[in-house]
Amino acid sequence: MYRSHVLVCGGTGCTSSHSSEIIEALESELKAKGLENEIKVIKTGCFGLCALGPIMIVYPEGCFYSEVKVEDVPEIVEEHLLKGRMVKRLIYDETITKDEIKPLSETNFYKKQNRIALRNCGVIDPESIEEYIAMDGYQALAKALTEMTPEEVIQVVKDSGLRGRGGGGFPTGLKWSFTAKNAADQKYVVCNADEGDPGAFMDRSVLEGDPHCIVEAMTICGYATGATEGYVYVRAEYPIAVNRLDKAIKDARENGLLGKNIFNSGFDFDLHIRLGAGAFVCGEETALMTSIEGNRGEPRPRPPYPAVKGLFGKPTTENNVETFANIPQIILNGAEFFSSMGTEKSAGTKVFALGGKINNTGLVEVPMGTTLREVIEDIGGGIPNGKKFKAAQTGGPSGGCIPASLMDTPIDYDNLTAIGCMMGSGGLIVMDEDNCMVDIAKFFLDFTVDESCGKCTPCRIGTKRMMEILEKITDGKATLADLDELEKLAYYIKENSLCGLGQTAPNPVLATLRFFKDEYIAHIVDKKCPAGVCKALLSYTIEADKCKGCTLCSRKCPVGAISGAVKEAHTIDTSKCIKCGVCMDSCKFGAIIKK
Amino acid sequence: MLKKISKIPFKGTPEQEAQLRAVIEECKDDKSMLMHVMQQAQAIYGYLPFEVQTMIADGMNIPLEKVYGVSTFYAQFALSPKGEYNISVCLGTACYVKGAQDLIDRICENLGISAGECTDDGKFSVEACRCIGACGLAPVLTVNDEVYGKLVADDIDGILAKYKA
């Protein structure tokens, strides 16, 4: 028995800020003090509050230390773990009131959350199958295999109202039933963990923090659809996730939870991992399967759908990580448990990766129907530096943006589609007044131009032409006719592309055009970038009354564009200026402005 | 995506070749393992020169043009060697809105190369990558396996100085 447990986050965010070294230091410090048999150190998955990482929680007190450094470890061990005095300066200020520790669940970040897919993340040691089992792990599998028929399993998933969390929102139970009814000598289950949307990291966190739930869910899916083999296709950029999943699969095999005759039910199932190699299009289901087969990951026309002819030409069910992560809880607690959460047509919860200009960057899981305002202001803690909220981008390169005027829209699949947006995988990037929406549209289009696989013409050439128009706009060389052309082309690409990548590639442009057309006009007609981002449209000037003539800027200027005598106002030669901004950063008197 | 093909002569060792042959031997009966073999080969050699691609094609009994096709399709496969210190700047959305472009501009200015290139002495290479999943630390860059987060452009010269020494 240990008298105290110290949980340290081992997610990618915290590992990047040296949480592994913190664990090593803790262990050696505890050993030096002879406490290693009294205090247990556990490396967990992501807690979600990445902005405050590295994170450490000490139980039984529930003391939440944030932004811990390796140098803080001796003090924590000496003061807290040995003498029982908490190190107040490291405690997250929202969890401490006078001398009392407030439960984490009462903080603004956590109190509106409802964790189903992330239930074990940051709670258990993801590398321990025993800890997963202690949290009711593999009970859903036992229930499915020993008490339910495959048809009953599918019915429960259908009744729960679960929809695909990868972006499309297709009803999961229905998808399973399609594969189930196609007889074949071999069927497959595929888990899409090729989280390509830049800025979304929920799938990675589930794999890192709770890999066994994916193993369990895929096995349940195999039983329900009649598949005996499964593949997890995961990004090679996620080494921690890959290692933990690999260990989970091996441990499950050793414990008879994968392999032959699971739970004496006569059902066989095994799993393999395949690594992606950095191609966004492989998030599309047919492209992903082509990639697993060892080819260039190009999509193919549907039908035939994967339920008929999928991986290696066999009926296949493909779901995303977060979708699978909900399955064990649905089987264990029943359809009603899940369908009672969320909205009428979007049951359950959704995980969002909050990023960009927001105080509490991290992962949040909220019931469907929560408004954007609640997510950003209450949970996310608002925008840093007192800046104004401009828009939130959802759905990554396939999605759109939600402007401030629509912040009270309840977030679910259908509401987002209605405003020309998309749920996507759940990346939620917040932008403030310093972000230029034309530049953001260009950023996403640059991404899709780069990632277009080249198979179909509308996507390959069309996105490139759109990109050229956007470049004209941000260079101040476009006319209003170009804007019409841009919009026409966008709809043409949407209608004619082969796969989801091309069909959604114009969305960021169309969404910004819908809500921020004035910014496009400002670039085209006034030749100005209102947010001050697009370099070609900026000019730096020195305000004569503020300039003290200290000469610092003219010495810093890399191209010698600034001239002026000592103690006299300086001027910038705009024909020489390369708009690098060094002068503005160096001026101590705020005399240099860009507009 | 356009890939830069290396003009640097291939300098593989017999040990590296033996390692690669062992990987091929293990996987040669399953053609769907091609990407796995290529990933292992890149781990062994650091990149995938034609000599290595030919070994894989012959060993797996897969046409060389298919191996080449796969190597040029995926961003992860490199056709030219990386520097001793490979700097990877995240240009995922979360990092981009927080100024990652300024970081990459400053690095290129400092090293006198552009993204996707390697310095002449082989010490540094710079590339843009798409989201390493550390969005909480945005904007981030990695130098080999070391992660630097919450950066501003002014931090760059100091970071590079550590590796130049």
Side-chain angles (χ1 to χ4, degrees):
Chain A
M1 274 296 281
Y2 293 96
R3 70 172 163 87
S4 197
H5 287 79
V6 183
L7 274 58
V8 183
C9 178
T12 291
C14 288
T15 304
S16 301
S17 35
H18 310 290
S19 70
S20 307
E21 284 93 320
I22 290 172
I23 292 173
E24 277 169 32
L26 258 177
E27 281 170 344
S28 71
E29 197 73 21
L30 287 173
K31 210 165 181 174
K33 295 261 188 309
L35 294 173
E36 74 267 33
N37 296 320
E38 292 179 42
I39 293 161
K40 191 171 170 137
V41 180
I42 300 163
K43 186 195 224 176
T44 69
C46 181
F47 284 86
L49 196 44
C50 306
L52 294 179
I55 287 168
M56 182 191 290
I57 299 190
V58 182
Y59 286 109
E61 301 91 319
C63 174
F64 187 97
Y65 290 128
S66 62
E67 298 182 87
V68 179
K69 295 192 177 62
V70 180
E71 305 87 89
D72 298 327
V73 169
E75 188 182 345
I76 293 173
V77 172
E78 174 78 28
E79 288 297 312
H80 188 162
L81 301 175
L82 192 65
K83 297 179 182 160
R85 295 192 290 240
M86 288 180 259
V87 184
K88 282 190 187 151
R89 67 177 178 93
L90 292 172
I91 299 177
Y92 176 38
D93 50 18
E94 259 201 57
T95 60
I96 185 161
T97 46
K98 281 186 194 154
D99 291 316
E100 253 179 51
I101 288 289
K102 235 170 55 175
L104 211 48
S105 57
E106 284 176 23
T107 59
N108 286 329
F109 183 76
Y110 288 104
K111 76 179 167 201
K112 286 195 173 176
Q113 293 198 48
N114 188 353
R115 300 190 143 209
I116 310 294
L118 300 177
R119 59 190 288 270
N120 287 333
C121 291
V123 177
I124 62 168
D125 174 357
E127 296 188 16
S128 158
I129 190 168
E130 290 81 11
E131 291 203 7
Y132 180 66
I133 290 170
M135 298 296 285
D136 300 339
Y138 290 105
Q139 272 195 33
L141 179 62
K143 183 177 175 187
L145 291 188
T146 59
E147 296 171 24
M148 298 167 84
T149 64
E151 294 75 26
E152 283 167 349
V153 173
I154 291 179
Q155 197 56 48
V156 170
V157 177
K158 270 187 183 169
D159 293 343
S160 74
L162 176 65
R163 294 169 67 173
R165 295 296 192 247
F170 192 83
T172 307
L174 197 60
K175 201 174 199 178
W176 289 18
S177 70
F178 291 154
T179 318
K181 72 177 182 210
N182 287 311
D185 55 343
Q186 175 72 59
K187 295 185 201 176
Y188 295 102
V189 177
V190 170
C191 175
N192 183 347
D194 189 51
E195 194 167 45
D197 169 3
F201 52 98
M202 60 283 295
D203 293 350
R204 193 209 67 212
S205 283
V206 171
L207 289 176
E208 284 178 0
D210 197 13
H212 281 286
C213 86
I214 301 303
V215 175
E216 181 177 11
M218 288 181 73
T219 314
I220 293 170
C221 177
Y223 174 70
T225 59
T228 54
E229 258 188 89
Y231 285 85
V232 184
Y233 186 87
V234 53
R235 295 181 80 200
E237 289 92 332
Y238 290 174
I240 301 176
V242 174
N243 291 339
R244 291 193 188 151
L245 183 65
D246 192 45
K247 180 160 195 312
I249 290 173
K250 285 185 182 134
D251 289 348
R253 261 186 217 135
E254 264 174 33
N255 286 275
L257 297 163
L258 275 180
K260 299 270 177 223
N261 194 20
I262 302 167
F263 287 121
N264 271 330
S265 62
F267 173 66
D268 305 337
F269 192 77
D270 209 351
L271 276 178
H272 314 277
I273 299 177
R274 286 296 162 91
L275 297 190
F280 179 63
V281 69
C282 289
E284 199 275 343
E285 59 178 9
T286 62
L288 186 147
M289 291 174 199
T290 319
S291 180
I292 293 180
E293 292 163 7
N295 304 308
R296 291 166 69 93
E298 287 174 356
R300 55 169 180 73
R302 294 175 301 182
Y305 283 91
V308 179
K309 223 176 152 192
L311 187 62
F312 302 114
K314 304 292 182 186
T316 303
T317 314
E318 196 221 297
N319 282 124
N320 133 294
V321 172
E322 192 189 332
T323 315
F324 277 129
N326 284 300
I327 295 290
Q329 288 300 303
I330 291 172
I331 299 295
L332 209 52
N333 302 317
E336 172 73 8
F337 152 81
F338 196 77
S339 61
S340 65
M341 290 178 285
T343 61
E344 197 192 334
K345 285 184 176 161
S346 304
T349 58
K350 176 76 192 93
V351 184
F352 291 98
L354 276 182
K357 306 282 184 65
I358 187 146
N359 280 314
N360 298 336
T361 354
L363 272 194
V364 304
E365 182 169 352
V366 291
M368 292 275 192
T370 306
T371 66
L372 185 63
R373 190 181 299 282
E374 288 173 276
V375 173
I376 290 176
E377 292 181 357
D378 301 342
I379 300 174
I383 319 288
N385 307 324
K387 297 274 183 178
K388 230 172 76 195
F389 172 84
K390 187 179 214 172
Q393 216 280 345
T394 68
S398 312
C401 56
I402 308 173
S405 59
L406 292 173
M407 266 182 104
D408 291 310
T409 311
I411 307 174
D412 70 8
Y413 290 102
D414 307 293
N415 281 334
L416 286 185
T417 311
I419 58 171
C421 220
M422 179 176 162
M423 179 78 81
S425 55
L428 196 69
I429 310 286
V430 180
M431 285 168 283
D432 68 9
E433 52 198 302
D434 291 339
N435 291 112
C436 166
M437 298 314 284
V438 185
D439 181 65
I440 293 295
K442 201 172 86 172
F443 165 79
F444 281 117
L445 206 61
D446 180 49
F447 182 89
T448 34
V449 167
D450 215 31
E451 294 293 342
S452 171
C453 80
K455 185 167 180 166
C456 75
T457 323
C459 175
R460 182 184 69 240
I461 300 177
T463 55
K464 181 93 182 141
R465 292 290 97 86
M466 281 180 73
M467 185 68 191
E468 286 162 5
I469 298 176
L470 281 179
E471 277 167 355
K472 261 172 97 176
I473 295 174
T474 55
D475 282 344
K477 292 174 185 155
T479 62
L480 286 173
D482 287 317
L483 208 53
D484 297 336
E485 193 65 25
L486 183 69
E487 204 167 348
K488 221 168 80 189
L489 197 52
Y491 285 111
Y492 180 81
I493 295 168
K494 272 176 83 77
E495 279 160 25
N496 294 289
S497 293
L498 172 64
C499 83
L501 192 154
Q503 287 158 11
T504 58
N507 285 354
V509 173
L510 288 171
T512 46
L513 264 177
R514 176 190 293 202
F515 298 119
F516 297 97
K517 198 163 191 172
D518 53 326
E519 284 195 32
Y520 281 86
I521 308 263
H523 283 72
I524 295 169
V525 179
D526 310 330
K527 312 285 177 207
K528 289 275 176 237
C529 174
V533 173
C534 299
K535 273 194 180 164
L537 302 176
L538 290 180
S539 63
Y540 287 84
T541 45
I542 297 176
E543 291 191 319
D545 54 330
K546 284 189 186 159
C547 179
K548 307 273 187 233
C550 73
T551 76
L552 182 64
C553 59
S554 79
R555 281 180 279 136
K556 287 257 180 184
C557 179
V559 292
I562 303 178
S563 56
V566 181
K567 293 194 178 164
E568 277 175 33
H570 283 44
T571 50
I572 300 176
D573 179 351
T574 47
S575 64
K576 281 190 192 163
C577 176
I578 55 166
K579 297 165 189 174
C580 66
V582 167
C583 54
M584 193 163 126
D585 295 340
S586 66
C587 181
K588 294 189 178 81
F589 311 102
I592 299 174
I593 49 166
K594 67 174 179 184
K595 56 184 176 187
Chain B
M1 197 181 306
L2 206 63
K3 295 233 177 179
K4 290 199 166 74
I5 296 172
S6 172
K7 293 191 187 76
I8 299 170
F10 177 57
K11 284 183 273 195
T13 64
E15 290 77 36
Q16 286 174 320
E17 188 171 331
Q19 275 182 47
L20 177 58
R21 297 236 178 260
V23 174
I24 293 172
E25 189 55 37
E26 201 184 310
C27 303
K28 66 177 183 194
D29 297 325
D30 182 357
K31 301 228 183 315
S32 76
M33 294 296 272
L34 174 62
M35 271 171 66
H36 171 76
V37 173
M38 292 170 69
Q39 281 160 337
Q40 296 300 312
Q42 180 150 308
I44 295 167
Y45 288 96
Y47 71 121
L48 295 175
F50 289 129
E51 289 81 356
V52 171
Q53 292 187 40
T54 311
M55 261 189 269
I56 294 171
D58 293 347
M60 300 279 292
N61 199 17
I62 290 172
L64 177 60
E65 70 256 35
K66 186 175 168 189
V67 177
Y68 180 68
V70 171
S71 74
T72 50
F73 186 84
Y74 296 95
Q76 190 198 8
F77 297 124
L79 300 187
S80 58
K82 289 181 177 158
E84 184 188 342
Y85 299 109
N86 183 46
I87 305 166
S88 197
V89 183
C90 180
L91 280 190
T93 321
C95 287
Y96 185 78
V97 302
K98 289 184 128 177
Q101 186 65 47
D102 295 340
L103 302 183
I104 205 162
D105 289 348
R106 186 67 74 90
I107 295 167
C108 293
E109 191 189 311
N110 183 304
L111 297 174
I113 52 175
S114 51
E117 288 181 348
C118 186
T119 52
D120 288 340
D121 60 2
K123 195 146 187 191
F124 292 99
S125 52
V126 188
E127 62 184 10
C129 72
R130 305 286 190 196
C131 201
I132 60 166
C135 309
L137 298 174
V140 297
L141 63 79
T142 59
V143 181
N144 295 346
D145 290 331
E146 184 70 16
V147 181
Y148 295 87
K150 299 184 179 171
L151 297 173
V152 293
D154 283 340
D155 297 329
I156 294 297
D157 295 349
I159 292 172
L160 292 178
K162 268 172 59 181
Y163 297 94
K164 282 180 178 173

